[in-house]
Amino acid sequence: MRTIHKGFTLVEIGIVTTIIVLLGVAILLAVNPITQIFKGYDSVRKADLNKLRIAFENYYEDHLCYPTFPIDPVTGRYTYTCGGANLKPYLDAMPCDPNTGLPYDIYVDLSLASEKNCPTNFAIYSTLTNLFDPAGSKIPTCVDTISVYNSGAGMAFVITGCSKHKVCSRYYGCTTANGVYGCHLVAQDTLPTCGDNYCDDPNCTVNGQNGCTDPAVNYCKPF
């Protein structure tokens, strides 16, 4: 008796093909090459910043100051050459961003004369490329930014460094309060960023002076 072998029908082949395609798409989404590259960059950034933090702290133990670097004439901030020996023997070569090849952003308060030759606080920043990394949302007002800093540097200092705006605890502006238009307290015990001329309305005056220029009611009272 002869046995008849039946082949796959078109419907069965279509079902199998669909399953294979769906599995392939699922695997591709799970191991998205672009996402993996971004995550790889960010892993290097986190490791680099941690190396810099350790080197800065070791330097401080020996000098009672954090290290100084050349000042960029454009940004007015510290900068360095990638692979440079600025932190030897604490760090053999200065790391740079694995994607852009640029130095990491180093912030110290150079507006204070005492800090120019002997910084007592520092913060170092990097921007993440993986926008879904929760580490990039830990600094208010600085999106997709990570930072390392010394334990004595408060969050206001860190925010100022990455936002490039002064951070204040008491924030004054031109508003109406109790029926009187003038320079009044807008926010207190928060972390607003202060511009240079918040009370710039010529009608916003206190004792005949613009609210921002009157030292009695300065627009921004820092921490």
Side-chain angles (χ1 to χ4, degrees):
M1 184 176 181
R2 189 175 62 178
T3 302
I4 298 176
H5 297 282
K6 293 183 178 180
F8 291 109
T9 66
L10 289 176
V11 173
E12 290 171 331
I13 293 173
I15 292 173
V16 172
T17 302
T18 301
I19 292 173
I20 293 173
V21 170
L22 290 175
L23 286 174
V25 171
I27 292 173
L28 184 62
L29 291 175
V31 191
N32 187 316
I34 300 299
T35 300
Q36 296 307 312
I37 291 173
F38 285 170
K39 287 182 177 179
Y41 285 152
D42 290 344
S43 294
V44 173
R45 293 179 176 114
K46 292 174 183 177
D48 285 347
L49 261 59
N50 190 52
K51 290 177 184 176
L52 287 167
R53 179 188 61 79
I54 293 172
F56 269 56
E57 295 296 355
N58 289 338
Y59 185 98
Y60 187 88
E61 289 182 7
D62 291 339
H63 300 85
L64 299 181
C65 292
Y66 289 108
T68 58
F69 296 82
I71 297 177
D72 187 316
V74 177
T75 65
R77 297 200 176 200
Y78 281 160
T79 189
Y80 57 86
T81 300
C82 298
N86 303 70
L87 284 175
K88 270 195 171 184
Y90 308 99
L91 188 63
D92 288 339
M94 296 296 292
C96 282
D97 187 279
N99 185 28
T100 66
L102 298 174
Y104 293 110
D105 186 19
I106 301 175
Y107 173 67
V108 300
D109 193 355
L110 293 175
S111 65
L112 301 175
S114 59
E115 293 288 290
K116 292 184 177 179
N117 296 317
C118 183
T120 56
N121 291 300
F122 77 89
I124 308 172
Y125 306 91
S126 179
T127 302
L128 298 178
T129 47
N130 178 15
L131 307 183
F132 301 101
D133 191 330
S137 60
K138 293 184 177 180
I139 307 176
T141 75
C142 298
V143 181
D144 302 323
T145 300
I146 57 173
S147 178
V148 294
Y149 46 90
N150 61 294
S151 59
M155 184 52 65
F157 176 88
V158 177
I159 294 173
T160 298
C162 60
S163 70
K164 299 177 176 61
H165 290 286
K166 183 186 293 184
V167 177
C168 54
S169 56
R170 289 183 289 171
Y171 192 30
Y172 292 82
C174 295
T175 61
T176 299
N178 299 322
V180 179
Y181 181 71
C183 192
H184 301 288
L185 185 65
V186 175
Q188 188 170 8
D189 297 326
T190 60
L191 293 175
T193 54
C194 301
D196 292 333
N197 295 294
Y198 186 77
C199 295
D200 56 3
D201 185 337
N203 296 317
C204 180
T205 60
V206 177
N207 297 327
Q209 298 186 55
N210 182 280
C212 281
T213 58
D214 187 341
V217 285
N218 197 322
Y219 77 106
C220 183
K221 301 288 186 182
F223 281 100

